[in-house]
Amino acid sequence: MNIPSLFFALYFISIFLVSCQFIPTPRYLQTSVLVNNSKWYIFGGDFGNSIYTNEILYLDLSNSFDVNSPPWHKDQIGSSFKYSFSTSCVSVDNSSIFIIGGNMYDLDQRQEDPNYYSIIYEYSLNYSIWTTPNITGIDNFKECGGLKSIIDNTGRIFLYGGVRNISGEISNKMSIFYTSNMSWLSINLTTSRTGYTATLLKGGNITYIGGRSVATYNDSSYVNMNEILIFDTNSLSWYNVTAITAIGDYIEGRAGHSAVLARDSKILIYGGAKTPKARAVKPDLAMLDLNVYPFKWTILNNSLTLLTSHSAILYDDFMIIVGDDAEIG
Ligand SMILES: *[C@@H]1O[C@H](CO)[C@@H](O)[C@H](O)[C@H]1NC(C)=O
Ligand SMILES: *[C@@H]1O[C@H](CO)[C@@H](O)[C@H](O)[C@H]1NC(C)=O
Ligand SMILES: *[C@@H]1O[C@H](CO)[C@@H](O)[C@H](O)[C@H]1NC(C)=O
Ligand SMILES: *[C@@H]1O[C@H](CO)[C@@H](O)[C@H](O)[C@H]1NC(C)=O
Ligand SMILES: *[C@@H]1O[C@H](CO)[C@@H](O)[C@H](O)[C@H]1NC(C)=O
Ligand SMILES: *[C@@H]1O[C@H](CO)[C@@H](O)[C@H](O)[C@H]1NC(C)=O
Ligand SMILES: *[C@@H]1O[C@H](CO)[C@@H](O)[C@H](O)[C@H]1NC(C)=O
Ligand SMILES: *[C@@H]1O[C@H](CO)[C@@H](O)[C@H](O)[C@H]1NC(C)=O
Ligand SMILES: *[C@@H]1O[C@H](CO)[C@@H](O)[C@H](O)[C@H]1NC(C)=O
Ligand SMILES: *[C@@H]1O[C@H](CO)[C@@H](O)[C@H](O)[C@H]1NC(C)=O
Ligand SMILES: *[C@@H]1O[C@H](CO)[C@@H](O)[C@H](O)[C@H]1NC(C)=O
């Protein structure tokens, strides 16, 4: 595993003023979520060498700041557990955040103590308290990471694939968690993936890009970046059963990259790597145009150090990236 470090960068930008109260410890395998288009929360993660954290950080994007010293805030009370490799999303009313799966520990890092392990935790932003929802039905994301959750405007959370830490097995399941009544629905799909990106489009399609499809790590374990999966959340099935083939510039397969949906139905992807040794992939930055058919890749120029297992969001016209390097995906 590489030594973590923290980078922060904006694309397509002009830059602002400074104020820096708090410099967070570098971390990776955190999970992040943008709330109400203003606060970017970073939950948990790994400081390196499996030192996990329960910290909750956020950045208020509604005020200008200097990208070289972003004004991070830290919630006084962290979570009552530590976690990495989890996924998260914000409730439809923006009042709470769900943390799902990954590797969860109690504060002493005794792994898998059932008293400290839940599939899903909910964090109330209004009251800064954590609860364990009482869920109808059973699903199991214990030690399952590498997922990217998507929540739609009816409060359905879509959780596809992922990798189980212990077995290395890559899941082909789509689990749908209804936050309206805290219940599960699971569907077996034809394709397994982990370490992909997931992007919800207008109209209810989720676009899955990249990642890994087999348990062993080698170059052929990574998905061809031209094989775009589209899950239709209306019919709860893949569009066209298998992948849709994109064309354009060659984008090397990868996991642990990030994706943001820019205006005009274009998805920007950034970073990622191949294991072992977190081998860098080319290009760093690319754009998938969904307005044309077939979808088309274009390589974009980039000057940032390559990151994997980081977090990224789109805010206004800025792609904001925070995070680090790791050999997982
Ligand atoms: C929640 O945040 C989204 C932006 O992410 C916004 O469109 C929506 O209006 C917000 N809802 C509430 C109830 O604040
Ligand atoms: C979301 O932001 C809007 C203004 O941008 C605000 O009116 C609204 O109260 C916020 N919602 C929540 C849940 O904080
Ligand atoms: C959270 O706070 C917002 C406004 O700050 C309020 O509209 C909303 O009802 C609160 N939600 C809960 C679950 O308490
Ligand atoms: C879950 O159910 C238990 C027992 O019925 C109850 O004590 C607890 O408050 C419930 N938790 C939530 C978050 O509703
Ligand atoms: C994954 O599983 C291995 C073997 O069971 C264990 O040693 C390791 O700590 C686990 N990794 C994480 C991040 O939990
Ligand atoms: C939860 O809500 C969904 C959607 O409304 C519904 O299909 C499902 O049957 C409900 N599950 C339970 C246990 O009530
Ligand atoms: C999904 O696959 C699992 C095993 O991988 C199996 O136990 C389960 O019955 C399947 N579910 C359906 C609905 O086919
Ligand atoms: C979902 O994606 C497919 C393939 O690109 C497209 O034909 C379809 O119109 C999309 N559905 C919606 C509701 O946008
Ligand atoms: C990569 O791993 C697969 C098994 O998942 C194996 O079939 C294949 O031969 C391996 N390729 C190389 C180049 O080692
Ligand atoms: C649907 O899948 C088939 C078989 O993989 C492929 O030949 C066809 O081009 C795909 N259609 C679209 C619209 O991508
Ligand atoms: C990237 O930079 C090269 C050389 O600076 C330039 O020729 C090329 O057009 C640029 N590509 C894009 C997509 O901007």
Side-chain angles (χ1 to χ4, degrees):
M1 230 166 266
N2 293 355
I3 306 299
S5 56
L6 185 119
F7 295 97
F8 192 87
L10 293 177
Y11 287 103
F12 321 125
I13 45 164
S14 50
I15 295 180
F16 326 101
L17 48 109
V18 190
S19 127
C20 185
Q21 302 93 349
F22 163 63
I23 300 172
T25 311
R27 70 202 60 205
Y28 70 106
L29 294 175
Q30 70 278 5
T31 180
S32 83
V33 69
L34 178 63
V35 177
N36 202 10
N37 219 19
S38 59
K39 279 187 185 166
W40 191 20
Y41 279 87
I42 309 278
F43 289 91
D46 187 338
F47 290 154
N49 301 318
S50 301
I51 309 297
Y52 303 103
T53 176
N54 67 337
E55 280 179 4
I56 303 168
L57 306 178
Y58 67 89
L59 198 53
D60 190 345
L61 301 174
S62 54
N63 300 315
S64 302
F65 60 86
D66 179 351
V67 295
N68 296 312
S69 55
W72 288 107
H73 298 269
K74 182 169 142 179
D75 266 21
Q76 286 310 305
I77 306 166
S79 45
S80 59
F81 60 106
K82 297 182 174 182
Y83 43 100
S84 75
F85 214 26
S86 305
T87 184
S88 58
C89 53
V90 63
S91 64
V92 174
D93 68 0
N94 299 321
S95 74
S96 67
I97 288 166
F98 296 96
I99 306 278
I100 305 162
N103 300 305
M104 294 179 168
Y105 307 87
D106 68 3
L107 295 178
D108 300 327
Q109 277 192 219
R110 281 169 300 162
Q111 196 173 357
E112 292 193 79
D113 182 330
N115 294 319
Y116 293 93
Y117 191 86
S118 170
I119 296 163
I120 294 187
Y121 283 95
E122 184 174 5
Y123 179 62
S124 161
L125 294 166
N126 286 12
Y127 308 112
S128 297
I129 53 168
W130 291 87
T131 49
T132 308
N134 290 325
I135 298 170
T136 308
I138 299 172
D139 213 322
N140 188 359
F141 287 91
K142 184 174 151 183
E143 291 205 322
C144 190
L147 303 139
K148 289 278 161 53
S149 58
I150 289 285
I151 188 164
D152 72 1
N153 58 13
T154 67
R156 292 182 298 176
I157 298 177
F158 294 87
L159 296 152
Y160 166 54
V163 61
R164 304 222 172 247
N165 178 38
I166 290 170
S167 63
E169 174 204 343
I170 298 177
S171 167
N172 67 339
K173 201 167 56 173
M174 176 68 79
S175 297
I176 301 162
F177 181 63
Y178 292 86
T179 59
S180 54
N181 58 14
M182 301 291 181
S183 71
W184 288 108
L185 173 69
S186 297
I187 307 165
N188 289 337
L189 294 172
T190 47
T191 319
S192 306
R193 280 200 195 184
T194 186
Y196 55 76
T197 61
T199 310
L200 179 64
L201 308 176
K202 278 189 207 120
N205 280 341
I206 303 173
T207 305
Y208 292 99
I209 300 175
R212 193 160 57 85
S213 58
V214 295
T216 44
Y217 288 106
N218 65 35
D219 266 18
S220 54
S221 314
Y222 292 85
V223 172
N224 181 332
M225 294 291 278
N226 287 344
E227 289 176 8
I228 310 294
L229 295 174
I230 306 247
F231 187 78
D232 181 341
T233 61
N234 301 307
S235 66
L236 301 184
S237 60
W238 291 128
Y239 177 75
N240 198 31
V241 184
T242 53
I244 295 196
T245 306
I247 58 166
D249 292 342
Y250 174 67
I251 313 296
E252 192 178 354
R254 65 194 65 200
H257 50 303
S258 61
V260 297
L261 181 63
R263 291 184 192 180
D264 315 326
S265 296
K266 288 173 178 154
I267 294 176
L268 294 178
I269 64 136
Y270 172 74
K274 284 181 175 174
T275 42
K277 305 268 181 237
R279 190 169 66 70
V281 286
K282 296 269 179 226
D284 303 353
L285 185 64
M287 180 186 76
L288 181 68
D289 189 348
L290 304 176
N291 293 300
V292 293
Y293 199 82
F295 303 153
K296 191 174 177 201
W297 283 110
T298 305
I299 294 172
L300 302 178
N301 288 330
N302 167 49
S303 57
L304 190 75
T305 312
L306 191 71
L307 297 177
T308 184
S309 300
H310 57 280
S311 306
I313 51 165
L314 193 78
Y315 182 70
D316 272 350
D317 278 341
F318 305 105
M319 181 174 183
I320 306 181
I321 296 169
V322 54
D324 186 37
D325 219 359
E327 134 169 15
I328 298 183

